[in-house]
Structure formats: structure tokens, C-alpha cells
Amino acid sequence: MPDIYQSLDQQGEDTVRVVADRLEFRGEMPDFIKMRERYFDRLDWASCRRIVDLGCGTGVVTRALADRVGPECKIVGSDLAAELIKVAMEKTDAAGLAGRIRYEVADSRNTGDGEGSFDIVIAHTVISHVVDPAAMLEEAARLTRPGGTIAVFDGDYASLTIGAGDPDANAMAVNAILQTVVGNPFVLRHLPFLARQTGLEVSGFIPELLAEAGQTSFFGNMIDAYVGPCIQAGAIDAETALKWAEGQKTAAREGTFFGSCNYYTYLLRKPE
């Protein structure tokens, strides 16, 4: 079953809105911002003159880049989904950053910029969604100048756990979510091998854990956002999905919820 992020422009308006809202909610959540800022702190901003955010979605990370670099640095955001690029442009304009960022509709495996165009390439929560992660990494390497850096941040979604309630129901629902919105749940475990295949060096690694116990914000929003698309995709039947989602809401109200997922950042250097 294809990940809906791979064909978002072919999805209905409601699904596009759900995905856009999820990306913005997640990107503005304090715990998610902390993970982003931890790898931002490891990047060489002083010498950066061109940076691209591959799979930029609604531009929540692309906009954050403008806080790290001066106006002389060119910022590009690209995404396969034209509908998300529209949202990104609207939000960038509303933030007063329209003159700082250029957006383009482009496949992350075949962007329009030339070889060695960028000092830093960002791949923030995108490699888990693409059809061919190796091809995407090769494209990121092509775009990066010799000595430049590729920052790959994503969820190790094979570790996604919902612990409240019936374990069998949780496993069924989590599997439905992964089938619907995560094309490659194991990809971060293979990234050192893919990097070596691509001729890149792992120069940094930051393991992260996002977990909630008792109450929930991140995982509760994930459940609210993705149960509908899971049902529409046929990954789970409506009665089972809605009963499970309501059970998780009850657990949150009663203070018995549990959810966790590992996230990793790889900093990859392109040899000179």
C-alpha cells in the first residue's frame, strides 16, 4: 500500500488539509522543535550561502532556517506535492519571509538545481516517505558541494509504540498507520549503509526519543490526524479504528496513555 505522502496531490482536499495541519502542529511542538534545534546547532551556518530543504511540506522547517542564516543566504524549499507548496508559500508570506525563501514543486530524487549547488541540504522527515530512499540520498549528494553537509532527520517508525489498552488492537492500528503514512519505517536503520553506498561520510549522529505517558499531545494529534486516512485507504475497518481511537482518548483522560517513537539525525558529509 503506497504512503499517502507519495501521492498527496491525488488525495482529496480533506486529506491534504489533515496532512498540512499535522505537519504544522508537529513542527511547532516544543519537543519537536528541540530535536530540530539540536541538529541545527551542529551545522556550519557561518559559511552557508545556499541551503535547500528537500520534502519541505508546508515549509515549517524552511521558515525556521531563515532564523539561522542572514539575508545573503539563499533558501530553497522543494516538495513533490504542489498542494503543500501552496500552503508553504501562504505561510511564508504571512510570516513576512516571502523575499527570503524560494519554493519549487520537485521530486526529491530529481530537483532542478545543478550539481554542488548547496552548502547544506536538509531532509527533515522525508526519507521515510519516498519511494526510493537510495535514489533520494544520491540526489541530495549531487546537490551538495564537496565538503558540504546533508542533515537527515526522521522517525524510526518501526519503533512506534502505543501502549494503552489491548496490545493486539494497538498493533493492528499502528500497523495501519505505518501502511498509510510511512513508506519506509526501517530506513533510518539502513542509513549508514546507504550513505556509504552513496560515497558519503557519517560525521554526526543524534539519537532522540519522543515519548508521552499519562497525557498526550503529539501522539493524540497523530491518532486524530491519521485514523481517517487509514480508513479511507482500507488499511483498517472503520469500526475497529474508531473504537481504538476512542480508547486512546479515554486513556488520555484517565492518565493511562503511553506512546513513544525514536527519532534520529544523521549528519552526512560529502568528501572534498
Side-chain angles (χ1 to χ4, degrees), residues 68-237:
R68 288 283 185 152
V69 295
E72 72 283 354
C73 182
K74 305 299 182 185
I75 306 172
V76 179
S78 71
D79 199 280
L80 177 64
E83 292 301 317
L84 291 185
I85 288 294
K86 288 180 185 177
V87 176
M89 293 175 70
E90 290 169 359
K91 290 187 174 296
T92 297
D93 185 55
L97 296 171
R100 299 276 314 275
I101 300 169
R102 172 171 65 87
Y103 288 104
E104 61 180 35
V105 178
D107 191 325
S108 60
R109 296 169 297 165
N110 186 24
T111 58
D113 290 274
E115 185 171 343
S117 300
F118 297 97
D119 302 294
I120 297 174
V121 173
I122 303 290
H124 186 98
T125 64
V126 62
I127 201 166
S128 65
H129 297 294
V130 299
V131 175
D132 187 343
M136 183 203 155
L137 204 57
E138 289 172 1
E139 175 63 2
R142 183 187 73 83
L143 293 171
T144 308
R145 65 163 175 80
T149 299
I150 302 164
V152 179
F153 170 84
D154 219 315
D156 175 29
Y157 291 112
S159 72
L160 176 62
T161 301
I162 302 295
D166 178 62
D168 291 338
N170 290 338
M172 182 183 298
V174 167
N175 185 59
I177 291 170
L178 295 182
Q179 286 184 48
T180 305
V181 299
V182 181
N184 300 286
F186 291 93
V187 66
L188 291 190
R189 303 181 186 190
H190 304 150
L191 206 65
F193 173 76
L194 294 175
R196 182 177 180 181
Q197 268 195 326
T198 312
L200 299 168
E201 302 169 352
V202 178
S203 60
F205 177 66
I206 309 172
E208 307 273 11
L209 171 65
L210 201 161
E212 295 174 325
Q215 307 302 314
T216 180
S217 175
F218 180 85
F219 294 100
N221 178 267
M222 178 190 72
I223 292 167
D224 288 342
Y226 291 140
V227 161
C230 286
I231 294 169
Q232 293 173 12
I236 191 171
D237 69 89

